[in-house]
């Protein structure tokens, strides 16, 4: 698999799971502007891999600017700088990526692949949209694209209408959703809010006395505090935080962790109020197109935590 990340806290958990699980061949990672700047996300990705003893995993820095900048002033983000530290408290400073050509590396890697590769997209879809625009043939080497993004019956988390990864680059998301990907699995907030990590979990991870357990407890502590600070009556009240990105890797390891349904996902790229909204047509009528995605409507929390624990104890 190849992970596309904007390493932030839940990306760090996803990265740790993919790097530590024995059944996963992590071909490499690409980074992109999202939670943080491209350079901060790249540094954090390198820090996490160093901290868990997986510095051999290639990191290729991708795009530092959106595929299509928003025509509107960005909605004020009350959580700006709250959920994801500029610098994760793990690993060492001064590490450098294998290249600053993430999109080109993705295209070259897929073109020379000798077996199909799963792409796990847990950040704005900027890099993948660019790759598909330059080289649509790369889909011949793609086993499945798993996207953390969007929402159906839940409101957005960046605006009332839109989830962060889609809101950050809606035109990129539209390019991906319309690209004719044979096996596109979308993991929205409806599912990711069902896999919460709690302070009790952090204590358990620390007691594992593994590097992976240390990294995940270190990065999620700040993440839980952020939810408590910004959503004290919701998830924060549970002293927990949703591990959005980690659920995508858990699904790649054990698909039964998600309950999926075939839908058509459209992305709003014009309306100022609904910019970045994912509209879900489960009747395949209004959108006029056959289902383009398998959409996760629920997640199995117990199974998720079993998969995560299995990665952290190594
Ligand atoms: O909405 C959740 C997504 O936004 C996750 O990928 C998280 O890392 C943030 O980027
Ligand atoms: Ca992310």
């Amino acid at each position: 698999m190849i992970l596309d990340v904007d390493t932030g806290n839940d990306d760090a958990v996803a990265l740790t799971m993919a790097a530590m699980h024995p059944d996963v061949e992590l071909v490499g990672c690409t980074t992109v502007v999202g939670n943080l700047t491209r350079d901060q996300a790249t540094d954090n990705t390198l820090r996490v891999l160093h901290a868990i003893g997986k510095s051999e995993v290639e990191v290729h820095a991708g795009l530092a600017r959106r595929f299509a900048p928003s025509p509107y002033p960005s909605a004020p983000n009350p959580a700006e700088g709250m959920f994801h530290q500029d610098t994760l408290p793990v690993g060492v400073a001064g590490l450098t990526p294998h290249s600053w050509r993430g999109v080109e590396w993705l295209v070259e890697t897929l073109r020379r692949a000798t077996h199909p590769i799963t792409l796990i997209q847990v950040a704005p879809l900027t890099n993948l949209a660019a790759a598909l625009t330059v080289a649509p043939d790369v889909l011949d080497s793609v086993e499945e694209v798993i996207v953390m993004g969007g929402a159906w019956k839940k409101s957005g988390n960046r605006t009332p209408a839109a989830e962060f990864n889609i809101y950050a680059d809606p035109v990129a998301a539209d390019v991906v959703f319309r690209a004719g990907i044979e096996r596109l699995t979308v993991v929205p907030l409806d599912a990711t809010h069902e896999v919460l990590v709690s302070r009790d979990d952090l204590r358990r991870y620390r007691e594992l006395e593994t590097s992976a357990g240390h990294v995940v407890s270190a990065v999620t502590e700040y993440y839980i505090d952020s939810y408590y600070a910004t959503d004290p009556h919701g998830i924060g009240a549970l002293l927990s935080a949703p591990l959005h990105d980690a659920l995508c890797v858990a699904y790649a390891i054990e698909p039964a962790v998600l309950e999926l349904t075939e839908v058509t996902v459209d992305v709003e790229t014009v309306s100022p109020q609904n910019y970045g909204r994912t509209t879900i047509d489960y009747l395949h009528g209004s959108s006029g197109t056959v289902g383009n995605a398998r959409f996760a409507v629920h997640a199995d929390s117990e199974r998720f935590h079993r998969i995560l624990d299995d990665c952290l104890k190594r």
Side-chain angles (χ1 to χ4, degrees):
M1 62 174 71
I2 293 175
L3 246 63
D4 189 50
V5 292
D6 57 339
T7 306
N9 293 311
D10 58 326
D11 304 71
V13 182
L15 202 49
T16 301
M17 292 173 73
M20 297 308 289
H21 198 283
D23 298 346
V24 170
E25 180 195 356
L26 183 52
V27 174
C29 306
T30 50
T31 63
V32 69
V33 57
N35 288 321
L36 303 165
T37 66
R38 184 273 312 270
D39 293 1
Q40 289 169 329
T42 304
D43 177 52
N44 282 336
T45 301
L46 291 161
R47 282 172 172 272
V48 169
L49 292 168
H50 178 271
I52 60 176
K54 296 286 184 181
S55 294
E56 72 275 14
V57 173
E58 293 192 16
V59 177
H60 295 268
L63 298 178
R65 298 166 59 132
R66 307 288 185 227
F67 180 80
S70 168
Y72 309 112
S74 197
N77 185 358
E80 193 74 49
M82 292 189 73
F83 285 98
H84 303 284
Q85 305 104 304
D86 290 354
T87 302
L88 288 177
V90 295
V92 296
L95 299 172
T96 52
H98 289 73
S99 87
W100 296 91
R101 304 169 56 252
V103 173
E104 297 88 334
W105 172 81
L106 176 63
V107 170
E108 290 154 10
T109 302
L110 289 173
R111 278 182 168 161
R112 66 165 182 265
T114 54
H115 55 280
I117 297 178
T118 292
L119 305 182
I120 303 192
Q121 308 290 134
V122 292
L125 289 161
T126 309
N127 285 337
L128 183 53
L132 293 176
T133 301
V134 166
D137 58 283
V138 298
L139 284 180
D140 294 343
S141 304
V142 170
E143 169 77 26
E144 180 172 11
V145 177
I146 303 169
V147 170
M148 190 282 130
W152 183 355
K153 295 175 180 161
K154 282 230 173 262
S155 68
N157 60 0
R158 175 63 183 84
T159 71
E163 178 278 328
F164 176 85
N165 285 339
I166 307 299
Y167 177 85
D169 204 340
V171 173
D174 199 34
V175 165
V176 170
F177 290 161
R178 291 176 186 273
I181 295 167
E182 256 184 67
R183 194 175 173 82
L184 172 63
T185 302
V186 177
V187 186
L189 296 179
D190 306 71
T192 64
H193 278 206
E194 295 181 345
V195 289
L196 303 180
V197 65
S198 69
R199 286 197 161 282
D200 290 342
D201 292 319
L202 301 195
R203 272 188 285 280
R204 189 156 45 80
Y205 301 155
R206 274 196 286 272
E207 285 159 11
L208 291 171
E209 295 187 342
T210 60
S211 54
H214 164 71
V215 165
V216 168
S217 60
V219 301
T220 39
E221 182 143 26
Y222 182 94
Y223 199 41
I224 290 173
D225 292 347
S226 305
Y227 268 88
Y228 183 71
T230 56
D231 183 20
H233 306 297
I235 288 176
L238 305 173
L239 288 182
S240 299
L243 288 179
H244 309 283
D245 299 346
L247 180 55
C248 294
V249 174
Y251 162 74
I253 293 168
E254 205 172 308
V257 75
L258 291 180
E259 181 187 332
L260 299 168
T261 184
E262 183 90 17
V263 296
T264 298
V265 184
D266 287 311
V267 184
E268 177 56 63
T269 59
V270 176
S271 151
Q273 290 74 26
N274 290 298
Y275 189 65
R277 176 194 288 275
T278 48
T279 304
I280 310 306
D281 175 358
Y282 61 98
L283 299 172
H284 309 321
S286 55
S287 64
T289 56
V290 180
N292 61 345
R294 297 130 39 87
F295 202 79
V297 288
H298 285 298
D300 178 338
S301 176
E302 202 180 308
R303 188 185 291 264
F304 169 77
H305 280 287
R306 204 166 51 245
I307 299 164
L308 174 53
D309 287 3
D310 185 40
C311 296
L312 301 188
K313 69 187 181 191
R314 297 176 187 281

